[in-house]
Amino acid sequence: MPSRKIPEALVERLFVESKANEDSIYANGYYVALDEKRRAELIAKFTWHVNHSLSPRQKQVLKLHLIGYTEREIAANLGVTQQVVHIYKMRAFNKLHEKLS
């Protein structure tokens, strides 16, 4: 089965969403102070890892999440429980966070 790539616009949203905690006033502000070139490099790296480091199911869950589906709707769509969807999503975010650190 060929891997499905997540479109660039969704990767940009995922990047911003996954960095939300680091961008808070309580964080060190590293991602806020990035220049445009470094930010583009990080997004390119992030894009690569989204498309190559995640399992097909993690990509599927993230894509549905990013286009606006709730965990409950994703669960109904995939035939799993909401808790399973949450686990897939959190593991994907954690994996991506590790890859960028």
Side-chain angles (χ1 to χ4, degrees):
M1 179 166 112
S3 70
R4 293 179 163 176
K5 295 189 181 255
I6 296 180
E8 288 288 324
L10 293 182
V11 170
E12 175 77 20
R13 180 173 171 202
L14 179 59
F15 178 78
V16 170
E17 191 172 307
S18 70
K19 295 300 167 195
N21 290 337
E22 286 89 351
D23 289 348
S24 76
I25 60 171
Y26 303 106
N28 61 12
Y30 173 74
Y31 291 98
V32 174
L34 290 176
D35 63 33
E36 201 55 38
K37 181 181 177 193
R38 179 68 178 132
R39 186 171 185 275
E41 289 171 359
L42 276 176
I43 290 174
K45 183 178 178 182
F46 191 80
T47 302
W48 191 91
H49 284 296
V50 165
N51 290 314
H52 295 91
S53 298
L54 299 180
S55 73
R57 193 63 139 184
Q58 287 172 332
K59 282 190 258 187
Q60 187 179 27
V61 167
L62 281 181
K63 186 173 184 177
L64 291 171
H65 169 70
L66 291 172
I67 59 176
Y69 286 88
T70 65
E71 287 183 359
R72 182 174 294 171
E73 292 168 331
I74 296 169
N77 189 348
L78 301 179
V80 296
T81 66
Q82 185 176 349
Q83 184 177 10
V84 169
V85 169
H86 182 76
I87 290 169
Y88 275 121
K89 188 172 76 171
M90 295 315 299
R91 286 183 180 167
F93 277 125
N94 290 338
K95 189 182 286 187
L96 292 170
H97 192 296
E98 271 180 29
K99 299 292 184 182
L100 282 181
S101 298

